[in-house]
Amino acid sequence: MIVDRLVLHHTYEGSTAFDVSQNHHHGVLEHVTSGGGSVEFAGGPACVRVRSTTTLKSMRAVRTTVRFRWDPTGPPRRHNLIEGYLSFALVIEGNGALHGTILDRSGIWGGANSAPGVVSPGAWHEATFVHDGISACRVDLDGTTVAQAFDVIGPGQGVQAPYGVAIGHWPDPDDRYTFEGAIDDVRVWIDRPDAVRELSDSCCCDRTELIDASFDRLRAEGLDAKVYRTAAETLYDLGSQTFGQMAAGTEADRVHAFDLARRFTLAVKAGDRQSLADALDQAGQLAQAKIAPSELADHGAAFLAALQPTLIGPILDSALRGGNESSPEHLHDLMTKLGIDQWMNGFCLNWAMPPANPKGRERPTSHPDHSTDPTTDHGSTSRPPSWGGDHPEQHDNGEVSDEGDPLPNDNDPRSPR
């Protein structure tokens, strides 16, 4: 996923925790004051809290950066830099390690933990944690990667109510992990769900009218937009989780999976049916090698259930019934009847439509004999009678004058000279 949508940015330059990202994720100051570009945390109830919003709840991948000075006192314990309730966290452990983690859709916390002692007390640092929503996460300190992992299966959970995002404190009401020191800059980025549009932005022409007409047809038929929104979110999560399992393991595993994804994307952009089929076949083999059969079956069932209430449902039903109903010709006719061909055309995917078999025309069972011209019953090497006499065959050399008129063909005796 592309994690570059800035949704929260606090600088603490004024007396409030104002969100300069213009996403209205302003912070509420609890037992702290803001000013001069930083907030001082003395432990206890000190906290900057940001309420949960629809935007933060939609998070599937996260990147966060916190600039801080750590001034621990008392026995070693965890100090929170930032944590989203039931979502993600970036913390300093009691031994000075830096730890970034997410809560995945299965309710499991996972992340990457640095070696002890990487954070020096009393000095200003900048820490970054990123999880790509698929399987990889990384923790950086002052521009250097100090921890990473490739088997933290995403996507992550969005930030939940009622506690939202807590800066310098645990989201929950008790004060067990409150930060001690100063924080002067906090940023949070999330994934861009509209990034998939980049696949269709390469269209050679403007397809807005086709897409608008398809949406109008859906509305006219009274179809529930919520059904499609739920289906899209489910497929987004299933795709991320499945691809995460395929990419999990080592960096080499991740590179291999992402290479397949790159080949898939290139095939879609180029409209290359064979390359697309090859990429999908290899992805299927990788999925079978990395994911347990029972889990693959669960993914497949969830995939079908998500699409069943949509226009795609009848296509799946027909394909699964087999026989003539699963033939490319039948699926083409059904997709055309349902208007799916207009959607695919609007997003420049019409090349992926199953081939049609025009009515009344039988497909040849073998290669046709081209020795006879079917329109004249003359041999394919014979000149049509209309060319007359012993004139050599006409040939249009395709050249035109500067005015756009065809140039004379020296090989045609009837051309003006």
Side-chain angles (χ1 to χ4, degrees), residues 261-279:
R262 179 187 62 83
R263 290 166 56 188
F264 172 88
T265 302
L266 289 175
V268 171
K269 285 187 174 182
D272 188 336
R273 187 192 296 266
Q274 185 58 52
S275 295
L276 178 63
D278 291 343

Side-chain angles (χ1 to χ4, degrees), residues 107-415:
I108 299 174
W109 285 94
N113 202 3
S114 78
V118 299
V119 182
S120 303
W124 281 97
H125 298 283
E126 185 173 82
T128 296
F129 169 62
V130 57
H131 187 281
D132 66 358
I134 298 172
S135 64
C137 63
R138 188 185 76 245
V139 179
D140 294 345
L141 183 66
D142 300 328
T144 299
T145 298
V146 294
Q148 59 183 342
F150 300 98
D151 57 355
V152 183
I153 307 300
Q157 293 271 16
V159 177
Q160 304 299 309
Y163 300 127
V165 174
I167 298 165
H169 195 278
W170 199 34
D172 297 64
D174 62 82
D175 306 328
R176 67 180 73 179
Y177 299 134
T178 310
F179 183 69
E180 292 179 305
I183 293 177
D184 75 354
D185 192 274
V186 177
R187 283 168 283 176
V188 177
W189 297 261
I190 67 173
D191 51 297
R192 282 192 293 126
D194 61 343
V196 294
R197 293 178 187 169
E198 293 176 2
L199 284 178
S200 59
D201 285 347
S202 59
C203 286
C204 58
C205 58
D206 185 4
R207 305 297 181 95
T208 303
E209 291 185 4
L210 285 171
I211 296 172
D212 287 346
S214 297
F215 275 113
D216 289 342
R217 178 174 176 174
L218 281 180
R219 297 186 187 99
E221 293 175 356
L223 297 178
D224 187 356
K226 184 178 179 181
V227 167
Y228 288 85
R229 186 164 53 250
T230 300
E233 291 176 352
T234 301
L235 296 182
Y236 197 83
D237 286 350
L238 278 173
S240 299
Q241 184 179 351
T242 302
F243 185 75
Q245 291 171 290
M246 292 164 59
T250 65
E251 187 170 7
D253 292 323
R254 175 179 170 82
V255 169
H256 176 50
F258 271 79
D259 182 62
L260 284 176
R262 179 187 62 83
R263 290 166 56 188
F264 172 88
T265 302
L266 289 175
V268 171
K269 285 187 174 182
D272 188 336
R273 187 192 296 266
Q274 185 58 52
S275 295
L276 178 63
D278 291 343
L280 290 173
D281 179 63
Q282 292 188 39
Q285 295 180 38
L286 181 59
Q288 290 178 354
K290 299 289 287 285
I291 307 175
S294 60
E295 195 165 1
L296 270 178
D298 290 341
H299 289 349
F303 175 85
L304 294 175
L307 290 176
Q308 198 64 46
T310 71
L311 282 177
I312 306 296
I315 304 297
L316 295 174
D317 289 341
S318 185
L320 292 173
R321 276 194 289 267
N324 181 61
E325 291 196 45
S326 64
S327 68
E329 296 87 354
H330 179 80
L331 294 177
H332 181 281
D333 291 344
L334 184 55
M335 292 173 75
T336 302
K337 179 180 178 181
L338 293 170
I340 295 174
D341 59 327
Q342 293 298 311
W343 284 100
M344 298 186 74
N345 193 21
F347 287 99
C348 300
L349 297 173
N350 45 304
W351 58 270
M353 281 281 290
N357 182 16
K359 294 180 179 180
R361 182 184 302 171
E362 295 184 0
R363 293 184 178 274
T365 56
S366 61
H367 293 292
D369 179 7
H370 293 294
S371 62
T372 301
D373 186 332
T375 61
T376 64
D377 291 331
H378 286 267
S380 58
T381 58
S382 302
R383 295 191 304 276
S386 61
W387 285 14
D390 296 325
H391 294 313
E393 293 180 303
Q394 293 190 38
H395 173 69
D396 179 6
N397 60 14
E399 297 182 28
V400 296
S401 69
D402 292 338
E403 290 75 26
D405 299 319
L407 290 177
N409 187 343
D410 293 338
N411 294 323
D412 187 349
R414 294 173 295 175
S415 297

Side-chain angles (χ1 to χ4, degrees), residues 50-88:
V50 179
R51 74 188 188 285
S52 178
T53 64
T54 300
T55 297
L56 293 175
K57 287 179 181 178
S58 71
M59 177 190 301
R60 291 173 169 83
V62 63
R63 175 160 58 107
T64 184
T65 295
V66 180
R67 180 172 162 78
F68 66 94
R69 186 193 70 238
W70 184 39
D71 300 322
T73 63
R77 63 175 179 82
R78 169 176 146 182
H79 289 70
N80 269 31
L81 293 171
I82 184 171
E83 182 169 349
Y85 184 56
L86 299 178
S87 179
F88 72 95

